[in-house]
Amino acid sequence: MLTVTNSLTRKKEQFTPITPKKVNLYVCGITPYDYAHIGHGRCYVTFDLLYSYLRLHGYDVRYCRNFTDIDDKLIQKAEKEYGDKHRYTEVAQKYIDAFHEDMESLLCLKPDVEPRVTESMPSIISFIEGLIEKGYAYVVDGDVYYRVRKFAEYGKLSNRSLDDLEVGARVERNDKKEDPLDFALWKHETDKNFWKSPWGHGRPGWHIECSAMARDHLGDHIDIHGGGMDLLFPHHENEIAQSEALLGGTFSQIWMHNAFVRINQEKMSKSLDNFFTLRDVFKKYNPMVVRFYYLQHHYRSPLDFSFEGLDSAEKAYRKLCKQYVAHDADSGINLDTYLEQIQSNVFFKSLVSFVADDLNTVGSLGVLFENRSLDTESVAAGRFFMQYVLGLSLEPLPEKTVEITSEIQFLLDEREAARIAKNWALADALRDQLTALGFEVQDKKKS
Ligand SMILES: [Zn+2]
């Protein structure tokens, strides 16, 4: 029914949940120290599509997306903005609120649970204690490290051998560790304002947080774990090492990763300072155009972001709305009670079959555009698909208001003069010039 590409096996696989009809989905959330950028938007729209798809097909889905609300970046931001590193909770709250606004604008459904690291400390600490007991972790001067070589399957997600990894790890040698490959589970802090643990005061490493929060809210074994491609290594590799060492079995059956958003062929990221925040893009483009733009690209292909790309997405989206939404009034179908009936609609089935094939939204959009039949059934099926599968709003976009520059006004006046003089050849030539500049001239009959 649904096939997805599993990063763990590097294959497209049929999805079968551990418990029939129940799905536990974990997606790594943001570190709230700044506004979400369009790379974040792509990730959360991708998993929102998956979540909606599963729910629509009768699965009981539990979707968990966390907030990493304590981190070096939050502490630095608190120092910079408030002159007090302990005010990182205020930084976190500000950007969590902003993130929720952005997700709402993109019509992303709210996950069932959104745990925060600062509220999950007891389970993080007991997770680390369990790893120490089993010999997978050790304490040095109040820090706790994970013993990577003890986990025989380390590297299975990122397909790397320990030897390859060692070459990279030597560069940042830390003498406290037994082995350069080991990573921190707990970082000692002399500041008593941080959390108390059996190893002294401190705060957790990033990777352990997700292992602990996933276990807290979804259980020891989960169906699907998702995130951006940049998290595959080391973050997700380390999550597997931690969770499987403590809990045994396979931590997540399926690992799904969305590809990067790139700018000028480079990965867009905060650290490279080549990013656009969602809210800045929303000032110029309706969030539905942005959502549509994501859906026009397969989630596993890199998206080369450009404003020209957004402009053509807007044109295409308007066209699609004209095709399917404008017929609302005469379709007479109540979308909410339409689900049963629509499952057998041939056009709807063909649209859904693309999404069922590794979320191939590109294919389904092609079918939507190609459909020239405007019978009530297929128009209603298309609308239902747009709203409930693709998560697009059916509100028509407001007409775009454009500034008439003096150059455009000049051409309009010249053309009007030519028309009055009945110089049709000149009037037509001027109309062509206006068209080339992106303006469609419509002459209304004077009454
Ligand atoms: Zn994570």
Side-chain angles (χ1 to χ4, degrees):
M1 185 129 121
L2 172 70
T3 57
V4 289
T5 299
N6 188 354
S7 307
L8 193 57
T9 56
R10 290 165 278 281
K11 279 191 202 113
K12 205 144 97 171
E13 288 177 11
Q14 177 98 30
F15 171 64
T16 317
I18 302 168
T19 309
K21 284 288 161 190
K22 274 188 87 105
V23 181
N24 284 323
L25 168 66
Y26 187 92
V27 177
C28 292
I30 57 156
T31 301
Y33 73 106
D34 206 343
Y35 295 114
H37 57 61
I38 52 171
H40 296 122
R42 183 178 201 198
C43 175
Y44 301 123
V45 164
T46 299
F47 291 102
D48 182 62
L49 179 75
L50 176 70
Y51 182 47
S52 305
Y53 177 90
L54 291 167
R55 280 167 38 127
L56 193 69
H57 286 82
Y59 289 95
D60 173 14
V61 192
R62 189 159 166 81
Y63 175 15
C64 176
R65 184 181 62 202
N66 70 291
F67 286 112
T68 304
D69 63 341
I70 173 69
D71 181 273
D72 288 344
K73 296 182 199 108
L74 276 143
I75 292 172
Q76 282 160 18
K77 189 89 175 197
E79 251 166 4
K80 200 173 140 200
E81 272 188 21
Y82 306 116
D84 177 359
K85 69 176 182 176
H86 298 109
R87 291 177 70 180
Y88 61 83
T89 45
E90 288 164 64
V91 174
Q93 195 55 53
K94 173 179 168 188
Y95 294 109
I96 286 173
D97 291 343
F99 176 75
H100 280 144
E101 279 171 23
D102 293 342
M103 290 299 108
E104 228 169 87
S105 301
L106 284 170
L107 295 188
C108 287
L109 300 170
K110 223 169 152 43
D112 300 280
V113 55
E114 294 184 286
R116 299 182 185 198
V117 171
T118 56
E119 293 166 358
S120 313
M121 224 41 88
S123 20
I124 293 170
I125 291 172
S126 78
F127 205 111
I128 300 173
E129 283 183 303
L131 288 170
I132 296 172
E133 259 166 52
K134 285 197 151 190
Y136 283 96
Y138 55 93
V139 187
V140 189
D141 302 339
D143 288 343
V144 185
Y145 295 100
Y146 185 92
R147 200 170 265 137
V148 167
R149 281 182 199 276
K150 188 166 164 65
F151 183 67
E153 293 179 272
Y154 194 86
K156 66 176 172 179
L157 178 67
S158 55
N159 204 17
R160 294 174 201 218
S161 72
L162 289 177
D163 294 337
D164 292 345
L165 292 168
E166 208 183 344
V167 177
R170 281 221 181 93
V171 184
E172 32 172 341
R173 199 179 175 94
N174 168 346
D175 287 334
K176 280 189 180 178
K177 296 188 207 172
E178 287 177 5
D179 187 305
L181 291 181
D182 297 349
F183 58 87
L185 298 172
W186 188 263
K187 300 171 188 171
H188 176 70
E189 292 274 359
T190 45
D191 187 334
K192 297 274 185 288
N193 284 300
F194 287 103
W195 291 270
K196 206 174 163 223
S197 79
W199 324 287
H201 285 83
R203 56 194 173 95
W206 172 34
H207 318 301
I208 193 69
E209 301 164 352
C210 283
S211 281
M213 287 185 281
R215 186 192 187 193
D216 263 359
H217 300 282
L218 304 178
D220 291 359
H221 302 102
I222 63 178
D223 294 295
I224 304 174
H225 193 310
M229 192 57 94
D230 49 338
L231 300 186
L232 191 143
F233 186 86
H235 185 53
H236 291 161
E237 192 73 65
N238 291 352
E239 279 188 44
I240 291 178
Q242 296 158 162
S243 295
E244 296 189 1
L246 184 71
L247 308 167
T250 303
F251 171 41
S252 178
Q253 306 296 316
I254 305 262
W255 286 83
M256 285 175 74
H257 293 96
N258 66 280
F260 296 130
V261 172
R262 301 190 301 199
I263 290 180
N264 301 324
Q265 303 292 313
E266 267 199 332
K267 182 200 158 196
M268 189 187 72
S269 77
K270 189 90 176 78
S271 46
L272 292 170
D273 200 31
N274 63 345
F275 67 99
F276 294 97
T277 66
L278 286 168
R279 49 192 54 213
D280 278 346
V281 175
F282 293 164
K283 280 178 199 154
K284 215 174 150 212
Y285 296 89
N286 187 291
M288 283 304 95
V289 170
V290 179
R291 185 172 176 113
F292 185 79
Y293 181 53
Y294 293 136
L295 298 172
Q296 281 183 311
H297 300 80
H298 192 273
Y299 80 97
R300 301 188 63 245
S301 309
L303 192 168
D304 287 303
F305 176 85
S306 69
F307 288 102
E308 292 76 23
L310 273 169
D311 287 337
S312 49
E314 176 161 349
K315 267 190 202 142
Y317 183 58
R318 280 181 188 277
K319 200 176 148 205
L320 208 57
C321 287
K322 246 186 203 164
Q323 213 168 324
Y324 291 96
V325 181
H327 299 274
D328 186 15
D330 44 72
S331 73
I333 287 168
N334 179 351
L335 285 172
D336 293 324
T337 57
Y338 193 52
L339 184 58
E340 290 250 323
Q341 196 190 331
I342 205 166
Q343 303 284 4
S344 57
N345 178 289
V346 179
F347 182 55
F348 185 74
K349 273 193 192 164
S350 75
L351 291 169
V352 167
S353 69
F354 283 97
V355 180
D357 178 17
D358 202 16
L359 308 182
N360 182 5
T361 51
V362 185
S364 62
L365 289 178
V367 172
L368 271 177
F369 277 113
E370 270 164 34
N371 176 43
R372 289 279 163 264
S373 134
L374 290 178
D375 66 281
T376 318
E377 276 284 292
S378 71
V379 166
R383 294 182 54 225
F384 188 90
F385 179 79
M386 284 172 71
Q387 185 173 12
Y388 291 97
V389 182
L390 300 183
L392 295 163
S393 152
L394 296 181
E395 293 280 314
L397 292 184
E399 282 303 321
K400 216 166 186 167
T401 49
V402 283
E403 210 186 317
I404 304 288
T405 61
S406 52
E407 179 197 12
I408 300 297
Q409 194 55 57
F410 174 78
L411 291 170
L412 284 168
D413 293 345
E414 287 291 290
R415 182 169 175 274
E416 194 51 28
R419 273 161 55 82
I420 289 164
K422 296 194 177 354
N423 183 348
W424 307 120
L426 179 61
D428 285 349
L430 287 162
R431 174 200 284 259
D432 291 345
Q433 271 192 51
L434 283 157
T435 308
L437 291 164
F439 289 84
E440 190 190 339
V441 188
Q442 291 179 346
D443 295 311
K444 287 195 181 129
K445 275 187 191 146
K446 282 184 185 131
S447 52

